[in-house]
Amino acid sequence: MSLRRLGVLVCCLVFVLVAERAGLASPADEKSPFAAADAQILSEIHEHSEAAANLEYLSDSIGARLTGSPQLKQANEWTRDMFAKYGAVNAHLEGWTMERSWTRGKAGARIVSPTEHPLTIAAAGWSPSTPGAVIGPVVYFDAKEQKDFAKFHGKLKGAIVIYQEPASLSPPKPDDPHAQLSRPMQQPPARIGEPPVADPFEASQKAAKERTEFWKQEGVAAVLRDSNKPHALLNMTDVSLARYDIGPIPTAFITGEGYREIFRMLQRHLAVQAEVEMTNTIGSKPMEVYNTVAEIRGSEKPDEVVLIGAHLDSWDLATGSTDNGTGSIAVLEAARALAKLNLKPKRTIRFVLFSGEEQGLYGSQEYVKKHKDDLDKISAVLVHDTGTGRVLTLGLHDNYQDRELVDQVLAPLHELKLLEPRMARSFGTDHLSFDEVGVPGFFCIQERAEYSLTHHSQSDTFDKVWKDDLNQGAQVMAAWAYNTANLPDMLPRRPLPYNPAKDAKKEEAAKPDPVAEIDTKILEQVKADEPALKADLTYLTERIGPRLTGSAKLDQASHWTVEQFKAAGLSNVHLEEWTIANSWTRGPATGRLIVPTEQTLTLASAGWSPSTNGPVRGPVVGVTFGKIEDLEPYKGKLKGAIVLFGRPRTMEAPEFPLATPWAQSTIPLAHAVNEMPIDSAAYRQARLAAMKMFAEEKVSAVLLASEKEFGLLNMSVQSRDYQAALVPVAYSVRENYMQLWHLQEEGHAEAEVSIEGSLSGKPVQVYNTVAEIRGAEKPDEVVIIGAHLDSWDLGTGATDNGTGSMAVLAAARALQKVGVRPKRTIRFVLFTGEEQGLNGSRAYVKAHKDELPRISGVLVHDTGTGKVLTIGLMGNYAARETIDHALYSLANAKEIGLVEPSLRREGGSDHVPFDDAGVPGFWCVQDVADYDKMHHSQADRLEHVRWDDLTEGAQVLAVFAYNVAQLPELLPRKPTNEKKAD
């Protein structure tokens, strides 16, 4: 990983190459026309929110809001009046008809034999009553498919049935804070001519209907369902087989503890009998229920609508505070803030609180039905409905066509620390009703925040609400609504066929996918070859060692990799020469603090630094600057000085990449705490001017600080184009640098340093290693997987980037052994000169400029030994859906579980020159795996390699290469203006 290009340099300075990366940052870095209004919205809700007070009233004074209950009607009227009070217009209730209401009565149960135990139960929604207390044998119905029902024929009359195999509730599973973010990518949406991706609820509903009808025929007396929650918490849903129909069999939820007690008894072959009694009230006729609706009218396009919503109804075991009082009140608070600020959106912003959600999204379905003639005027819908946790990001439910605009909409919301939007689908919230008719329907992806405990249970009460996160949700809803309403155009619809014909489901079963079958073989072969991967990396790092560009060791490594590719049977294996102005050989660097005390300093010569030609002594002077004018006070004061280049900053470890806010870099290196944005162009000029001034002032040496702790050094080059730096430069361990800075601030400090390094004084030839598997149909079109073979020389370059290079070799070996015959040529390239500025890949791009239009895509592995979490697409929105299909087998592979691809832009690796030239250039997003410690330091050694993760990295490279080579067309390019902007 190139520190020079990467731009996350030492803790002592905001390196100029942060600025060079500015064009590679997420869209949040761009100036947004919404920023000023968004700042007002966020401030208004933060400073004056009424959300908590409103939710307390809804929860405690109105309470549970079961659809069809008087409390829901009261909540409808109260929210209508609150919308009007806050200044929203057209606040009203829109009625729809439900088939029958249902009111919970009493429910009780107990085990009566082999001993007596009380059980805590609650009737499932729309369950009929029992005919008094019913006593019967408890039977575990373990049939998983309809064909297995026969073994229970004639054995269930009068029985009380349980049918779920219980999961363990204790001890609880260790909390994985990243589990929610690390879920494998869902199956991409169907392409034209393919059957649609199944709605997971349809299969479960079909199974439930088959099961229930069989039980009814067999005369089952009652059903007990596992709540699957700890601490005696209950669960709830309805048991209707048709909309608001009464369930065929009395059914209740039982606590997890009670269910497991019964299950254990049955597992020990004890005859268990139980008594169950429920009394529920069923409405005798259809009744009117309501959605609450209000608006802020658009100032320019009032007939076009942006809708934010949530469901107002709840289940009735508690007060519905987190499901979904939180979402409803977030919508109400968004309306309050927008109305108060009087911001005048171009389009109408509509606020809708749906009912009937808990029984099947019925309120939103009825809204869609009523407004069917207006749907083409609804730009998009956003729903808040997973509890009290903060909004992490938005789920776009396969609306690929909207992703770039959604990024622009969210760009100004830095302080909310939103993560990258996801294409994830969800079938359990009201956005789905809109999405299914072609309106872009989105949902909030939220932190779990105890939602698994409060959801549908008696614990769903106001005291479980996280008030700051409630306000953050309101901020997201309000800002999203306002920004979307002010876009130049409505959000695009997904191209048809979005919902393939229902008849597609009845077609013959899909034929086996030949690409997926080959993928399985590739994954197995890479895993089988893991011993060879270990042997290769061991030889590279321990027999050859560090591979500084221009060194004999790199030359040895280049020729060795040629032999390895040839031995694996690859074709067209060769070295491609390019030239550097000078090679450089590290010499010793030593130092000591002399005044006010004596202490040894730990130093390392910076790359391409000239020598001091022996020890030099001078005053220690700290220099800080952000622009050229800041250098003026130092002129005439630095002769003979040992210059400290920048004030040391407080550093923090890198975050898990998938948990990194969308506006921030995911490169797994330490970064400064609360680093303020800089004027990148001004800083670039100032840094160059500073080095020139240091030379003119005749400083003795310049010291840079490592951003690493505990005596670990860092390394980078301090010159351009393999020329000597203008002055001798060395890295200091962070602890020494901090001490020097503090001492020179407090008074006079002197140090003595000796920095050695020698340049060749003449050009040196270096090489990129290239090998291929030729394409069978389109051999002139190419897919490239690559990594850099060179390294810095403090360690052995094991993880930067021996891991990536040997993963490429392992991928090539496996593909050749499997005998793939890709349509396009797969090319394997090991670049050199990466560590000094991606120079080898730049030379490659220059040498192959006429071929670039025929390179489909490039994937580079270059952030250490951590697990490949996903692929970064560098803002190539056009390629996203295609890549999802190409990579799905990696998501489906249990051991890999690839997360959906990222559209982040990141610099610092060899994909960048290709991306700059318009070729789709991608990078592996990897787990941190201590990369921040090993990167460019003396700790970069073989013993830190995580072999399982490295093997998975090779699997990712191999499958990517083959699947992209098999695509019908070349990968889409970014638009020309986007490429230039990058």
Side-chain angles (χ1 to χ4, degrees):
M1 177 57 60
S2 170
L3 190 57
R4 181 167 180 265
R5 279 291 303 178
L6 179 63
V8 181
L9 186 62
V10 295
C11 66
C12 62
L13 70 149
V14 183
F15 193 34
V16 64
L17 291 162
V18 169
E20 292 182 4
R21 282 190 60 256
L24 301 179
S26 77
D29 288 338
E30 300 168 9
K31 182 63 177 175
S32 169
F34 313 128
D38 287 351
Q40 290 181 269
I41 292 168
L42 269 55
S43 176
E44 171 60 33
I45 294 174
H46 182 266
E47 299 296 331
H48 306 293
S49 174
E50 297 183 16
N54 284 333
L55 183 51
E56 184 176 4
Y57 181 87
L58 179 67
S59 301
D60 294 350
S61 298
I62 296 178
R65 302 169 300 283
L66 188 64
T67 298
S69 69
Q71 289 85 357
L72 179 59
K73 178 67 181 306
Q74 183 184 355
N76 285 132
E77 294 171 343
W78 175 75
T79 51
R80 176 199 60 198
D81 295 344
M82 292 300 291
F83 278 123
K85 172 186 172 182
Y86 286 146
V89 301
N90 194 25
H92 64 283
L93 303 184
E94 292 190 0
W96 58 278
T97 301
M98 65 182 295
E99 283 70 13
R100 61 186 55 78
S101 63
W102 179 87
T103 304
R104 181 181 306 284
K106 294 181 179 181
R110 63 192 179 101
I111 297 172
V112 296
S113 69
T115 186
E116 288 199 19
H117 287 279
L119 299 172
T120 301
I121 68 168
W126 277 258
S127 168
S129 302
T130 58
V134 296
I135 298 176
V138 179
V139 176
Y140 175 45
F141 184 84
D142 62 356
K144 305 303 180 187
E145 298 180 25
Q146 192 172 20
K147 63 182 177 59
D148 301 323
F149 291 0
K151 67 181 181 180
F152 290 97
H153 182 64
K155 300 177 182 179
L156 299 179
K157 186 172 181 62
I160 296 170
V161 165
I162 66 172
Y163 65 95
Q164 298 145 292
E165 184 174 355
S168 175
L169 296 178
S170 184
K173 293 180 181 179
D175 182 43
D176 180 357
H178 303 139
Q180 185 177 1
L181 304 175
S182 302
R183 290 175 180 164
M185 172 176 61
Q186 293 173 325
Q187 182 179 354
R191 291 172 288 202
I192 294 175
E194 294 180 344
V197 175
D199 180 336
F201 289 126
E202 288 187 5
S204 64
Q205 288 171 340
K206 178 175 180 291
K209 184 176 182 181
E210 291 171 350
R211 214 170 35 231
T212 303
E213 288 176 346
F214 178 77
W215 293 340
K216 184 69 174 178
Q217 292 168 8
E218 293 293 313
V220 168
V223 177
L224 295 180
R225 293 181 58 171
D226 180 16
S227 290
N228 199 32
K229 295 177 186 283
H231 309 306
L233 291 173
L234 289 161
N235 208 338
M236 190 50 53
T237 189
D238 70 290
V239 290
S240 302
L241 296 183
R243 188 171 112 158
Y244 293 111
D245 200 2
I246 297 304
I249 303 170
T251 302
F253 280 91
I254 180 175
T255 62
E257 292 82 357
Y259 190 93
R260 281 150 186 78
E261 180 181 16
I262 293 172
F263 190 82
R264 289 193 302 270
M265 290 178 174
L266 294 176
Q267 293 296 100
R268 298 202 307 273
H269 305 290
L270 299 177
V272 181
Q273 282 204 321
E275 177 185 82
V276 177
E277 183 175 14
M278 291 183 285
T279 58
N280 304 308
T281 302
I282 299 166
S284 59
K285 60 182 179 181
M287 67 176 297
E288 194 86 354
V289 289
Y290 304 92
N291 297 322
T292 306
V293 182
E295 295 177 339
I296 292 175
R297 294 290 288 172
S299 60
E300 296 180 17
K301 300 178 179 181
D303 293 338
E304 294 181 4
V305 175
V306 172
L307 192 154
I308 58 174
H311 70 88
L312 187 59
D313 66 304
S314 74
W315 282 109
D316 58 337
L317 296 184
T319 60
S321 298
T322 68
D323 187 21
N324 188 31
T326 42
S328 296
I329 296 303
V331 172
L332 179 61
E333 176 62 18
R336 184 199 67 79
L338 290 168
K340 180 180 178 181
L341 293 170
N342 196 26
L343 289 174
K344 307 292 185 186
K346 291 180 181 179
R347 294 177 181 83
T348 293
I349 298 175
R350 186 169 296 160
F351 313 96
V352 185
L353 304 182
F354 304 104
S355 54
E357 189 272 353
E358 293 292 10
Q359 295 79 45
L361 315 183
Y362 295 132
S364 53
Q365 290 172 1
E366 290 290 337
Y367 182 93
V368 166
K369 188 186 303 182
K370 179 172 182 176
H371 293 266
K372 63 181 185 297
D373 295 335
D374 306 324
L375 295 179
D376 61 348
K377 293 291 188 179
I378 300 178
S379 180
V381 175
L382 177 61
V383 167
H384 184 300
D385 180 23
T386 41
T388 189
R390 65 181 291 267
V391 174
L392 298 172
T393 189
L394 304 188
L396 304 189
H397 203 101
D398 294 336
N399 282 286
Y400 291 87
Q401 77 286 352
D402 294 324
R403 171 59 198 275
E404 188 168 9
L405 287 172
V406 170
D407 285 354
Q408 294 173 19
V409 162
L410 299 180
L413 307 181
H414 305 269
E415 68 183 79
L416 300 186
K417 298 187 180 299
L418 297 177
L419 307 183
E420 180 174 3
R422 298 284 186 102
M423 282 301 138
R425 295 185 291 275
S426 176
F427 295 89
T429 76
D430 287 305
H431 77 282
L432 183 66
S433 301
F434 295 88
D435 208 77
E436 287 186 332
V437 295
V439 177
F442 309 148
F443 61 97
C444 293
I445 298 175
Q446 297 173 246
E447 279 190 347
R448 301 306 294 171
E450 302 179 306
Y451 191 57
S452 62
L453 300 178
T454 62
H455 175 258
H456 294 192
S457 83
Q458 65 270 45
S459 184
D460 189 4
T461 50
F462 180 72
D463 52 286
K464 304 304 187 302
V465 172
W466 298 9
K467 298 175 181 62
D468 289 343
D469 289 354
L470 172 62
N471 287 333
Q472 186 259 10
Q475 290 172 319
V476 171
M477 300 291 278
W480 179 87
Y482 178 79
N483 295 356
T484 303
N486 282 283
L487 289 170
D489 299 299
M490 289 175 50
L491 287 179
R493 263 58 172 163
R494 181 166 174 78
L496 294 175
Y498 172 50
N499 282 317
K502 297 293 183 182
D503 293 341
K505 298 179 182 179
K506 301 177 183 178
E507 295 175 359
E508 61 181 85
K511 297 178 181 179
D513 181 353
V515 173
E517 291 178 350
I518 294 293
D519 287 347
T520 299
K521 294 179 181 179
I522 293 170
L523 295 175
E524 292 171 349
Q525 188 63 58
V526 174
K527 186 63 178 176
D529 287 343
E530 185 174 299
L533 172 58
K534 290 183 178 180
D536 289 338
L537 185 54
T538 300
Y539 186 91
L540 178 68
T541 57
E542 298 200 341
R543 296 296 185 90
I544 298 177
R547 303 165 303 281
L548 190 62
T549 298
S551 69
K553 291 291 187 181
L554 180 60
D555 188 76
Q556 180 185 355
S558 296
H559 285 85
W560 174 76
T561 53
V562 164
E563 296 307 313
Q564 297 307 300
F565 279 121
K566 287 180 177 178
L570 277 293
S571 65
N572 192 25
V573 181
H574 63 283
L575 296 176
E576 295 193 0
E577 178 182 297
W578 60 283
T579 303
I580 64 174
N582 289 281
S583 64
W584 179 81
T585 303
R586 177 181 306 285
T590 59
R592 62 190 182 101
L593 174 64
I594 299 173
V595 176
T597 187
E598 291 196 12
Q599 184 174 327
T600 299
L601 305 176
T602 301
L603 307 177
S605 304
W608 276 257
S609 170
S611 297
T612 56
N613 299 315
V616 293
R617 175 173 174 168
V620 179
V621 179
V623 174
T624 60
F625 61 90
K627 53 188 182 299
I628 292 177
E629 301 85 78
D630 297 338
L631 297 170
E632 285 296 322
Y634 298 104
K635 288 185 176 180
K637 301 176 183 179
L638 298 178
K639 185 174 182 178
I642 309 294
V643 171
L644 304 180
F645 202 110
R647 180 181 300 278
R649 301 174 299 164
T650 301
M651 307 298 289
E652 60 184 359
E655 294 183 84
F656 180 62
L658 302 179
T660 302
W662 178 222
Q664 298 175 16
S665 171
T666 58
I667 299 297
L669 295 176
H671 53 274
V673 176
N674 297 325
E675 183 176 292
M676 297 298 293
I678 62 168
D679 183 331
S680 55
Y683 186 77
R684 181 185 297 110
Q685 295 174 356
R687 180 181 177 274
L688 295 174
M691 295 301 289
K692 183 179 179 182
M693 184 186 76
F694 295 158
E696 293 170 348
E697 293 280 313
K698 294 182 169 49
V699 304
S700 293
V702 173
L703 299 184
L704 307 173
S706 172
E707 91 282 6
K708 308 175 197 302
E709 295 182 328
F710 305 111
L712 290 175
L713 284 158
N714 203 352
M715 190 48 53
S716 74
V717 65
Q718 295 301 311
S719 64
R720 292 185 170 190
D721 303 322
Y722 298 97
Q723 300 292 343
L726 297 176
V727 295
V729 184
Y731 275 91
S732 164
V733 297
R734 178 175 174 81
E735 292 80 2
N736 286 163
Y737 193 95
M738 297 277 285
Q739 181 184 17
L740 290 172
W741 188 273
H742 295 151
L743 289 173
Q744 64 89 29
E745 276 191 320
E746 294 170 358
H748 183 67
E750 292 185 24
E752 179 183 270
V753 302
S754 176
I755 301 171
E756 300 299 327
S758 59
L759 282 79
S760 64
K762 61 180 181 181
V764 175
Q765 278 68 50
V766 291
Y767 307 93
N768 296 324
T769 308
V770 182
E772 292 180 341
I773 296 175
R774 292 289 288 172
E777 298 179 17
K778 301 178 180 181
D780 293 336
E781 295 180 0
V782 179
V783 176
I784 294 176
I785 57 173
H788 69 89
L789 186 60
D790 65 306
S791 74
W792 280 108
D793 56 341
L794 296 184
T796 61
T799 68
D800 188 20
N801 189 29
T803 43
S805 295
M806 295 304 97
V808 171
L809 177 58
R813 181 186 292 117
L815 289 167
Q816 186 68 19
K817 281 188 176 181
V818 169
V820 298
R821 288 182 53 79
K823 292 180 181 178
R824 297 177 180 83
T825 294
I826 299 174
R827 188 172 295 161
F828 312 91
V829 186
L830 303 182
F831 303 103
T832 51
E834 192 270 356
E835 295 293 11
Q836 295 79 44
L838 316 183
N839 294 309
S841 51
R842 293 189 189 285
Y844 183 93
V845 167
K846 184 176 180 181
H848 293 261
K849 63 180 184 298
D850 294 335
E851 185 188 43
L852 297 181
R854 297 191 299 278
I855 299 178
S856 183
V858 178
L859 176 61
V860 168
H861 185 299
D862 180 24
T863 38
T865 187
K867 180 182 178 68
V868 175
L869 302 168
T870 190
I871 304 300
L873 303 186
M874 294 293 287
N876 192 335
Y877 293 91
R880 171 60 202 276
E881 187 169 359
T882 302
I883 288 293
D884 280 9
H885 283 279
L887 297 182
Y888 178 63
S889 61
L890 293 170
N892 208 30
K894 185 177 179 181
E895 68 276 14
I896 297 175
L898 201 75
V899 177
E900 67 173 71
S902 168
L903 281 160
R904 289 180 182 274
R905 300 169 172 91
E906 293 284 8
S909 193
D910 287 308
H911 66 285
V912 173
F914 292 92
D915 185 75
D916 287 345
V919 176
F922 308 147
W923 51 287
C924 293
V925 181
Q926 295 177 248
D927 201 358
V928 178
D930 292 325
Y931 187 64
D932 54 319
K933 300 177 181 66
M934 292 178 285
H935 171 263
H936 295 190
S937 83
Q938 63 270 44
D940 187 4
R941 296 184 179 275
L942 187 69
E943 57 265 29
H944 298 301
V945 172
R946 302 186 182 189
W947 294 108
D948 288 345
D949 289 346
L950 177 56
T951 300
E952 287 183 17
Q955 291 173 317
V956 170
L957 291 173
V959 169
F960 170 91
Y962 178 72
N963 291 4
V964 173
Q966 295 302 101
L967 290 172
E969 307 293 339
L970 293 172
L971 286 174
R973 261 62 171 160
K974 290 190 286 188
T976 302
N977 60 342
E978 169 69 10
K979 174 173 70 76
K980 290 180 178 178
D982 282 351

